[in-house]
């Protein structure tokens, strides 16, 4: 679809990031997902570095365990797959398809310096998911149908 090459990740992504610390319990993750009505969380380390993603499917894998005793780090997918906010929507879709994932952490271009000062780091500024892509495709189809009438 041609418009996917023109659209940028930042045009489609969900802005803002809901994060959870790697040492938090799975119960905490469930409560946050329910409170925000989302299906995945960015997982951070003690230095606020993005280290993974915890999704509903990861929680389903530990249904037979006590949610208070399992940490987010134990269930998360790591490392987190990331993309720059100025990349094309097509690139994001290819990444999701190639890695068989449903969401990608979007990084800003602003950089900070890591604690030891050796390399700059980009900060998460959003998430792009399959749901975001579906919404864009549906909206584009509506515009096409309306323009044909």
């Amino acid at each position: 679809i041609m418009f996917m090459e023109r659209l940028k990740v930042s045009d489609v992504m969900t802005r803002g990031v809901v994060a959870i610390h790697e040492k938090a319990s799975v119960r905490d993750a469930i409560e946050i997902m329910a409170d925000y009505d989302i299906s995945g969380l960015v997982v951070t380390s003690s230095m606020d570095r993005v280290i993974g993603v915890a999704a509903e499917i990861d929680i389903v894998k530990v249904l037979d365990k006590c949610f208070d005793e399992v940490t987010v780090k134990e269930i998360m997918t790591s490392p987190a797959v990331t993309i720059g906010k100025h990349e094309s929507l097509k690139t994001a879709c290819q990444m999701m398809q190639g890695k068989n994932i449903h969401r990608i952490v979007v990084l800003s271009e602003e950089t900070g310096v890591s604690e030891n000062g050796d390399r700059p780091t980009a900060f998460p500024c959003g998430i792009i998911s399959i749901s975001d892509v579906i919404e864009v495709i549906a909206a584009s189809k509506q515009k096409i149908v309306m323009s044909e009438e």
Side-chain angles (χ1 to χ4, degrees):
I1 304 175
M2 287 298 275
F3 72 90
M4 293 180 85
E5 292 177 14
R6 291 190 309 270
L7 283 176
K8 301 295 178 203
V9 168
S10 59
D11 297 328
V12 178
M13 71 182 191
T14 300
R15 296 187 189 294
V17 173
V18 180
I20 190 165
H21 191 273
E22 65 183 323
K23 292 181 181 172
S25 71
V26 168
R27 179 167 313 281
D28 292 336
I30 292 168
E31 290 173 3
I32 292 169
M33 286 183 196
D35 287 348
Y36 286 91
D37 192 26
I38 55 176
S39 60
L41 297 167
V42 172
V43 182
T44 59
S45 69
S46 55
M47 295 181 355
D48 287 333
R49 208 170 44 96
V50 175
I51 59 170
V53 173
E56 291 168 329
I57 190 67
D58 299 316
I59 292 169
V60 169
K61 294 174 185 175
V62 294
L63 286 178
D64 61 335
K65 300 191 173 146
C66 177
F67 294 145
D68 292 316
E69 296 174 5
V70 180
T71 66
V72 172
K73 184 176 183 175
E74 293 174 73
I75 67 160
M76 71 180 183
T77 301
S78 182
V81 176
T82 62
I83 191 167
K85 68 180 183 179
H86 295 297
E87 293 290 333
S88 72
L89 180 57
K90 181 179 179 182
T91 299
C93 290
Q94 289 169 335
M95 288 174 68
M96 284 188 252
Q97 182 182 9
K99 295 181 181 297
N100 195 27
I101 56 175
H102 294 233
R103 67 191 50 77
I104 302 174
V105 178
V106 181
L107 301 178
S108 67
E109 288 186 340
E110 296 79 42
T111 58
V113 177
S114 61
E115 197 157 287
N116 60 11
D118 65 349
R119 66 180 200 276
T121 56
F123 297 102
C125 62
I127 299 282
I128 185 164
S129 69
I130 294 291
S131 299
D132 297 322
V133 174
I134 296 299
E135 286 178 23
V136 168
I137 293 169
S140 73
K141 290 287 185 196
Q142 287 177 344
K143 288 177 187 169
I144 292 167
V145 169
M146 290 177 5
S147 66
E148 290 175 354
E149 293 177 353

